[in-house]
């Protein structure tokens, strides 16, 4: 999760989404398969989406399951923020993309989440519930939420009087 957090810092600040870092790991061999962050790939791209797109290489995303052929290996996703189920842009959600990796019998079996999505853009993201209902184990990683959200929302406008709190931590809490 610390690696995902450092990846999130590479994401360009933007007022209309969060800066998120993510990586895919083969937990059986402890090999990193793919890393990314929000907006790394061209377009309005999410960190988890980019991890999959980079792993799929030449494969169209609709055939992403073919990049996960071996169900004897445990493939896990680390993401600083709970994967989205609905995007304001209407683009395909990261939860759908994650579930897409499971069509071939293998795929992502576990998702480690560093922070819940604040309700800035969409209320009550249900990423965790939808993933669990589809059989994916979701693990909340405690302890980094403060740093994760500070990085995630660094591109958002601060409300009046914010950014002056003790220790300089906290960061913005969304668009005014
Ligand atoms: C996660 C990301 C990212 C978000 N969430 N897990 N990874 N940017 O890389 C969630 C947020 C959406 C807004 C705007 N952000 O991004 O809800 O424009 O960014 O499709 O709903 O939607 P678009
Ligand atoms: Zn997403």
């Amino acid at each position: 999760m610390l690696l995902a957090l450092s990846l999130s810092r590479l994401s360009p600040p933007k007022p209309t989404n969060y800066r998120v870092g993510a990586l895919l790991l083969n937990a059986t061999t402890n090999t990193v398969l793919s890393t990314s962050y929000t907006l790394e790939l061209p377009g309005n791209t999410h960190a988890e989406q980019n991890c999959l797109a980079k792993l799929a290489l030449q494969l169209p995303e609709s055939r992403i399951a073919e990049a996960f052929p071996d169900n004897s290996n445990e493939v896990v996703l680390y993401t600083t923020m709970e994967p989205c189920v609905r995007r304001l842009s209407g683009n395909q959600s990261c939860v759908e993309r994650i579930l897409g990796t499971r069509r071939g019998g293998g795929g992502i079996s576990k998702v480690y989440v560093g922070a819940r999505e604040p309700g800035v853009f969409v209320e009550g993201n249900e990423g965790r519930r939808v993933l669990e209902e589809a059989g994916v184990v979701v693990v909340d990683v405690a302890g980094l939420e403060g740093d994760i959200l500070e990085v995630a929302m660094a591109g958002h406008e601060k409300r009046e009087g914010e950014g002056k709190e003790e220790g300089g931590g906290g960061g913005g809490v969304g668009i005014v």
Side-chain angles (χ1 to χ4, degrees):
M1 191 56 76
L2 282 169
L3 177 52
L5 174 58
S6 32
L7 286 160
S8 72
R9 296 185 201 277
L10 300 174
S11 180
K14 192 177 170 186
T16 51
N17 69 12
Y18 305 105
R19 300 162 78 210
V20 176
L23 61 105
L24 278 169
L25 185 80
N26 179 333
T28 307
T29 59
N30 212 27
T31 316
V32 174
L33 301 170
S34 186
T35 65
S36 195
Y37 49 86
T38 311
L39 302 179
E40 183 189 12
L41 294 182
N44 180 8
T45 53
H46 282 192
E48 304 93 317
Q49 168 188 1
N50 290 338
C51 271
L52 296 176
K54 286 171 75 174
L55 185 62
L57 294 172
Q58 309 304 328
L59 283 174
E61 265 201 85
S62 57
R63 291 169 56 196
I64 185 73
E66 294 172 33
F68 297 84
D70 186 355
N71 61 10
S72 65
N73 287 322
E74 190 187 14
V75 179
V76 304
L77 172 73
Y78 282 80
T79 177
T80 57
M81 190 174 287
E82 179 182 17
C84 64
V85 282
R86 191 170 71 82
R87 300 176 56 162
L88 282 188
S89 63
N91 288 351
Q92 189 184 32
S93 74
C94 290
V95 165
E96 282 175 44
R97 294 169 197 269
I98 289 164
L99 297 182
T101 69
R102 295 166 60 80
R103 287 189 202 117
I108 296 170
S109 57
K110 197 183 278 187
V111 178
Y112 291 91
V113 173
R116 291 303 174 83
E117 180 175 340
V120 175
F121 304 113
V122 292
E123 275 302 325
N125 180 20
E126 302 229 55
R128 180 192 182 112
R129 185 183 61 77
V130 178
L131 285 170
E132 286 179 337
E133 279 177 10
V136 178
V137 177
V138 180
V139 181
D140 281 317
V141 177
L144 294 172
E145 296 96 331
D147 287 344
I148 285 171
L149 293 178
E150 187 182 344
V151 174
M153 301 203 282
H156 299 187
E157 283 180 39
K158 292 186 184 346
R159 289 197 186 118
E160 192 79 19
E162 266 180 338
K164 296 176 192 153
E165 58 274 83
E166 71 290 345
V173 194
I175 302 168
V176 180

